[in-house]
């Protein structure tokens, strides 16, 4: 009896050993990802993005189109908050379209090459391949990588957890985490189609401006003049608000806040005014930066963006870009008491 038991146990151990031989190592998966990117010429994906940097989580629907070598169309929507924007890249440049305002801005930029992008598959793969210290584990039907990030505010959100399907290495989810390993931004993919066939003019500027305009009604004049004043929840240590004043304008009001201490900056907000019709795109200095809930324009000393029909600007001589992004991402609620 004992002999049969020992034989059975040895058989189980052998089977487990053989099963272990079939498991892919981190090096195997990284190599497979590198090879897959050589095979992927385009894709279309849908995802849900959740941002937890303000008083309440902000949830947005994201649709991503990509075609080699540098064509992108990323749509960011939250109908409840009247927040709809599109970032488009084609041979003409990089455009940020805000259909509710009939506005379009053009950037001279290499976006998205310079930073991590949680909803772009090739960006996630690039972060995995470039981080030699990335951690790895196989979990059920998934591979999970933990890598460093390359964001403008990477000191605030230094790590990301990237989950991929074992079957086809498609993205499942991304968690971008702060220094306490708390997920501040989460992207949950619902669908991705590799090597998608797009229409010839799928990334055309005029077509996308027109399509976005038809999909989203133009904001009525004065619609957000009575919107609540918003305050930043997160600020650098040693910085506090020292002044606030309201100035009447021909289109409503402008609120100017001054912050000082170890560093100083000014935050300006006023109701955004929609143009009568879409016109030519205005050229903007700086780089487009994804705040999670909106796409802003970031320079060395300023950051501008539109949210819920309000135009915001942070201006400072001594804040870093990381700090401006951190502050902007937290301007989502009433004054913290």
């Amino acid at each position: 009896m004992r002999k049969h038991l020992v034989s059975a146990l040895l058989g189980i151990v052998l089977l487990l050993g053989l099963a272990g031989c079939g498991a892919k190592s981190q090096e195997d998966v990284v190599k497979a990802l590198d090879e897959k990117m050589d095979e992927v010429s385009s894709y279309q994906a849908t995802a849900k993005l959740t941002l937890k940097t303000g008083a309440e989580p902000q949830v947005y629907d994201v649709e991503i189109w990509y075609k080699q070598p540098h064509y992108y169309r990323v749509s960011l929507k939250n109908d409840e908050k009247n927040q709809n924007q599109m970032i488009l890249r084609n041979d003409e440049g990089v455009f940020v379209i805000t259909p509710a305002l009939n506005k379009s801005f053009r950037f001279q930029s290499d976006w998205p090459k310079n930073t991590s992008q949680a909803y772009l598959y090739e960006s996630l793969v690039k972060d995995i391949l470039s981080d030699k210290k990335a951690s790895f584990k196989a979990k059920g039907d998934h591979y999970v990588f933990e890598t460093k990030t390359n964001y403008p505010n990477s000191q605030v959100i230094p790590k990301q957890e990237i989950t991929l399907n074992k079957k086809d290495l498609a993205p499942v989810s991304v968690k971008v985490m702060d220094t306490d390993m708390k997920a501040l931004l989460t992207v949950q993919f619902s669908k991705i189609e590799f090597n998608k066939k797009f229409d010839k003019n799928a990334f055309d500027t005029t077509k996308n401006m027109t399509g976005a305009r038809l999909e989203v009604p133009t904001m009525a004049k004065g619609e957000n003049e009575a919107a609540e004043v918003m305050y930043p929840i997160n600020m650098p240590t040693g910085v506090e608000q020292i002044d606030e004043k309201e100035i009447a304008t021909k289109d409503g009001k402008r609120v100017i806040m001054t912050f000082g201490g170890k560093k100083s900056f000014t935050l300006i907000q006023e109701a955004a005014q929609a143009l009568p019709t879409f016109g030519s795109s205005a050229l903007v200095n700086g780089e487009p930066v994804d705040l999670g809930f909106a796409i802003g324009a970031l320079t060395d000393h300023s950051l501008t963006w539109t949210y819920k029909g309000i135009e915001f600007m942070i201006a400072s001589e001594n804040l870093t870009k990381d700090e401006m992004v951190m502050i902007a991402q937290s301007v989502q609620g009433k004054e913290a008491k």
Side-chain angles (χ1 to χ4, degrees):
M1 180 70 180
R2 184 176 179 182
K3 182 177 181 181
H4 289 302
L5 179 60
V6 171
S7 297
L9 289 173
L10 287 174
I12 292 172
V13 171
L14 180 60
L15 286 173
L16 290 174
L18 291 173
C21 291
K24 290 188 177 181
S25 67
Q26 180 172 351
E27 291 74 16
D28 293 333
V29 178
V30 168
K31 182 181 179 181
L33 280 170
D34 197 12
E35 293 172 350
K36 186 173 183 68
M37 286 313 302
D38 291 334
E39 301 168 359
V40 174
S41 60
S42 63
Y43 64 83
Q44 180 178 355
T46 54
K48 194 168 291 291
L49 182 152
T50 303
L51 187 70
K52 297 180 180 179
T53 58
E56 297 179 358
Q58 308 289 315
V59 182
Y60 297 86
D61 294 319
V62 187
E63 184 178 34
I64 308 103
W65 296 3
Y66 165 72
K67 180 182 176 182
Q68 286 184 342
H70 54 239
Y71 300 102
Y72 292 89
R73 179 187 182 275
V74 179
S75 175
L76 181 76
K77 296 181 181 180
N78 182 314
D79 293 334
E80 291 182 2
K81 299 182 181 298
N82 191 28
Q83 185 69 13
N84 295 271
Q85 283 187 298
M86 179 187 296
I87 185 164
L88 183 73
R89 180 174 178 178
N90 53 32
D91 292 332
E92 299 174 24
V94 177
F95 299 83
V96 172
I97 301 169
T98 307
L101 300 175
N102 282 333
K103 291 182 178 179
S104 172
F105 299 98
R106 180 167 63 90
F107 295 81
Q108 292 179 333
S109 168
D110 286 333
W111 181 93
K113 292 183 178 180
N114 299 329
T115 62
S116 298
Q117 303 292 336
Y119 43 69
L120 297 183
Y121 181 63
E122 69 283 4
S123 176
L124 298 174
V125 173
K126 180 181 177 182
D127 286 345
I128 291 172
L129 298 181
S130 62
D131 188 355
K132 304 305 180 184
K133 296 182 179 180
S135 67
F136 167 84
K137 62 182 176 182
K139 188 176 180 181
D141 295 331
H142 302 143
Y143 296 123
V144 182
F145 286 88
E146 185 181 296
T147 79
K148 63 182 179 181
T149 65
N150 181 31
Y151 288 100
N153 57 336
S154 57
Q155 292 181 341
V156 179
I157 45 176
K159 294 286 186 180
Q160 62 186 344
E161 181 185 274
I162 303 168
T163 301
L164 307 172
N165 265 324
K166 283 184 178 180
K167 184 178 180 180
D168 58 359
L169 300 179
V172 175
S173 66
V174 182
K175 296 179 181 179
V176 182
M177 298 171 288
D178 63 13
T179 53
D180 295 323
M181 302 304 288
K182 177 183 176 183
L184 298 186
L185 184 150
T186 301
V187 178
Q188 192 74 37
F189 289 88
S190 55
K191 181 182 178 182
I192 185 165
E193 180 182 349
F194 291 114
N195 297 319
K196 165 78 175 180
K197 299 297 182 182
F198 291 106
D199 293 339
K200 184 178 180 180
N201 59 351
F203 300 90
D204 178 75
T205 306
T206 302
K207 178 185 177 181
N208 281 284
M209 285 183 181
T210 303
R213 170 65 186 87
L214 292 173
E215 188 175 331
V216 179
T218 302
M219 191 177 68
K221 182 176 177 59
E223 185 175 327
N224 283 296
E225 289 179 6
E228 67 177 10
V229 177
M230 295 187 183
Y231 298 82
I233 295 173
N234 299 325
M235 289 188 289
T237 302
V239 177
E240 62 182 7
Q241 184 175 348
I242 58 178
D243 190 28
E244 178 178 333
K245 57 185 177 182
E246 185 177 303
I247 299 174
T249 68
K250 65 177 182 178
D251 297 315
K253 66 179 181 180
R254 178 181 299 123
V255 178
I256 303 174
M257 301 178 191
T258 305
F259 298 80
K262 291 186 176 180
K263 292 192 174 183
S264 61
F265 69 94
T266 301
L267 172 63
I268 302 172
Q269 53 190 294
E270 59 186 308
Q273 300 301 314
L275 297 177
T277 60
F278 259 125
S280 59
S281 300
L283 182 62
V284 177
N285 291 325
E287 289 285 329
V289 59
D290 187 353
L291 300 175
F293 55 86
I295 301 162
L298 179 65
T299 72
D300 289 339
H301 300 294
S302 69
L303 174 56
T304 58
W305 73 99
T306 302
Y307 176 62
K308 295 174 68 174
I310 305 298
E311 289 186 349
F312 295 86
M313 181 177 73
I314 292 173
S316 175
E317 290 297 322
N318 52 26
L319 285 178
T320 66
K321 290 183 178 181
D322 289 4
E323 289 168 335
M324 286 191 286
V325 170
M326 176 191 72
I327 293 167
Q329 287 180 326
S330 74
V331 181
Q332 296 176 32
K334 297 179 180 179
E335 184 176 15
K337 299 297 183 182

